[in-house]
Amino acid sequence: MRNISLVDLTEQHLILKNKIDQALNKIFSSGTFILGQEVEQFEQEFASYCDVKYCIGVASGSDAILLSLHALGIGSGDEIITVPNTFISTVLPILSLGAKPVFVDIDPKTYQIDPSLLEQAINQKTKAIIPVHLYGIPAQMDLIMKIAKKHGLYILEDACQAHGSMLENKKCGGFGDIAAFSFYPGKNLGAAGDGGGIVTNNKKLAEKIRVMRNIGQAKKYKHDMLGYNSRLDTIQAAILKIKLKNLDQWNAKRRKLANTYNKFLKDLVILPPKLDTGYLENFHLYVIRVSKRNNLLGYLYSKGIKCGIHYPIPLHLQKPLKFLGYKRGDFPIAEKMAKEVLSLPMYPELKKEQIEYICKHIKKYLRVHE
Ligand SMILES: *Cc1c(COP(=O)(O)O)cnc(C)c1O
């Protein structure tokens, strides 16, 4: 069997190639590559998909978080609560704005922020909570929102892995004051390069960010505020518009593949969390847990099966965050997960036979080594 990657985007491109070629030809003939109709249309369609009023296209998911925090007025001396088991882009923007990330541990049943630990992390300086819907599993937004409301805190959802994930029939990204999405190629909705989106129901925030992402320019050469050059490329918007139409179908395929994995791996490894009713995940990643994870990863690699680790080092132990003063042992659940999690290949075009092959090798390895 041919090598199996963690994510393979080639087949998906073949399916959409004609539509994408046409859209790109149109843009090249128009000679207009910044903002314009394609970006506006995608923004409207993605807002409507998320069932929120506004979407602003930006240059990346990292920028979506940065501009959201900036627009909320986060700055020096403020504290922002989030989790240590996420991609570093959840917290780098906090540091860029001179604010301080404060970590709380995760719930071992959901792998998401543990709402019961939130209140002890809140103080006078706390301004916002960033729940991350990690792997596309919705965080417990009902409990988180109750606490945020009680303490007057903003909620910025890091929905960079949660396109189309739902909680009680409501899409992730529609719960907080504002939410950040990434359209990095490997995300469930991915561009052909970097891209990001901010969604919100708050008109003032939306208007502010629309100016902010365009170098603070409300009208040409009239700058009303400090800003960023962080626009979603016209070309990327056109591609995303085409792909958005397939997102629900692709997510459904991912869920089906996850079920197939579950069947084959039952009783062999710790399967992805079984969620309460009302939760619908998008399986951005299919993550199992095993002891001796690194050895299994190496074995599968030798069989041409490329897995991933999301993420091997919790953020409180990463070099640029050492100055915060956290130490090993501070977040035992996130630290344990970092040693055990293994992301198996997952993308909508993955075949059942490939999953069978992957699981056969996991079984083989575990038989010999457990
Ligand atoms: C991908 C991702 C980001 C950053 O998005 P980019 O588009 O790569 O900048 C932020 N947070 C999480 C959880 C992500 O998975």
Side-chain angles (χ1 to χ4, degrees):
M1 188 166 292
R2 209 167 74 96
N3 281 353
I4 307 174
S5 318
L6 180 65
V7 182
D8 186 342
L9 303 171
T10 52
E11 208 173 312
Q12 185 169 100
H13 183 68
L14 288 181
I15 298 165
L16 300 176
K17 189 178 177 330
N18 282 343
K19 282 185 185 157
I20 290 176
D21 285 351
Q22 275 175 25
L24 294 187
N25 281 336
K26 203 172 130 199
I27 293 172
F28 278 100
S29 332
S30 80
T32 314
F33 299 98
I34 304 292
L35 297 176
Q37 220 181 45
E38 294 288 352
V39 175
E40 278 169 33
Q41 281 172 4
F42 171 70
E43 288 174 339
Q44 278 167 21
E45 285 169 26
F46 194 65
S48 152
Y49 178 83
C50 294
D51 205 16
V52 298
K53 288 192 186 135
Y54 310 101
C55 168
I56 306 102
V58 293
S60 68
S62 307
D63 271 9
I65 296 170
L66 177 63
L67 272 69
S68 297
L69 290 172
H70 193 159
L72 289 171
I74 303 305
S76 167
D78 295 337
E79 291 190 5
I80 313 296
I81 298 174
T82 190
V83 287
N85 66 324
T86 176
F87 187 55
I88 197 159
S89 287
T90 309
V91 305
L92 288 182
I94 303 173
L95 298 171
S96 303
L97 293 167
K100 182 183 161 192
V102 171
F103 294 118
V104 300
D105 212 344
I106 53 168
D107 179 344
K109 288 196 299 293
T110 63
Y111 303 175
Q112 312 303 314
I113 198 163
D114 185 343
S116 74
L117 300 175
L118 274 175
E119 284 203 294
Q120 63 199 65
I122 296 172
N123 65 41
Q124 292 299 319
K125 293 181 185 161
T126 312
K127 288 284 150 54
I129 302 170
I130 308 183
V132 182
H133 307 295
L134 194 74
Y135 310 150
I137 299 172
Q140 294 177 62
M141 292 313 295
D142 45 349
L143 296 175
I144 297 165
M145 279 159 61
K146 222 180 260 172
I147 294 164
K149 200 165 181 192
K150 180 174 161 198
H151 295 272
L153 307 175
Y154 294 119
I155 292 180
L156 159 60
E157 290 173 73
D158 182 339
C160 287
Q161 300 187 359
H163 320 69
S165 295
M166 292 207 272
L167 190 43
E168 305 296 353
N169 285 321
K170 191 171 156 152
K171 296 253 169 62
C172 285
F175 290 93
D177 298 280
I178 195 162
F181 284 91
S182 164
F183 305 125
Y184 181 83
K187 302 291 163 92
N188 288 34
L189 178 62
D194 280 305
I198 296 171
V199 302
T200 181
N201 282 310
N202 183 320
K203 190 173 180 199
K204 275 207 178 114
L205 270 180
E207 283 172 351
K208 193 167 169 184
I209 291 168
R210 217 172 277 290
V211 176
M212 194 182 259
R213 64 122 185 238
N214 192 19
I215 42 174
Q217 172 174 267
K219 285 199 187 113
K220 192 142 185 137
Y221 304 135
K222 185 172 177 298
H223 301 268
D224 291 340
M225 63 174 92
L226 289 181
Y228 302 85
N229 181 346
S230 183
R231 299 168 296 228
L232 178 65
D233 283 335
T234 310
I235 284 178
Q236 302 303 351
I239 292 170
L240 290 167
K241 226 176 71 184
I242 293 166
K243 289 193 172 186
L244 178 59
K245 294 190 173 55
N246 298 281
L247 178 56
D248 281 339
Q249 181 199 332
W250 288 336
N251 283 350
K253 277 193 181 158
R254 286 172 183 267
R255 284 191 287 270
K256 205 166 159 211
L257 295 169
N259 269 333
T260 307
Y261 266 128
N262 284 347
K263 261 185 228 137
F264 286 125
L265 294 176
K266 191 165 53 113
D267 306 325
L268 283 176
V269 300
I270 301 176
L271 296 178
K274 198 163 169 8
L275 304 179
D276 289 344
T277 47
Y279 285 75
L280 186 69
E281 57 201 312
N282 70 2
F283 279 102
H284 170 58
L285 294 167
Y286 180 87
V287 179
I288 60 167
R289 283 164 59 201
V290 278
S291 55
K292 303 195 192 113
R293 185 264 325 272
N294 291 348
N295 297 346
L296 176 58
L297 178 83
Y299 172 80
L300 292 175
Y301 195 89
S302 77
K303 300 293 169 197
I305 302 162
K306 291 172 187 141
C307 302
I309 302 173
H310 301 88
Y311 294 90
I313 306 171
L315 294 185
H316 65 290
L317 302 176
Q318 293 277 10
K319 217 175 188 178
L321 296 165
K322 279 272 163 68
F323 78 98
L324 293 169
Y326 290 113
K327 56 188 186 319
R328 200 170 285 280
D330 283 347
F331 305 103
I333 297 164
E335 288 170 31
K336 184 169 156 45
M337 298 278 288
K339 292 200 186 91
E340 296 179 351
V341 288
L342 182 67
S343 308
L344 302 182
M346 173 55 84
Y347 51 91
E349 296 76 23
L350 190 68
K351 305 272 177 301
K352 191 170 172 228
E353 301 76 65
Q354 291 174 303
I355 293 185
E356 252 179 84
Y357 174 80
I358 295 164
C359 294
K360 188 184 85 187
H361 278 295
I362 294 176
K363 201 170 198 169
K364 209 167 174 182
Y365 177 85
L366 292 175
R367 276 227 188 98
V368 178
H369 296 271
E370 286 299 283

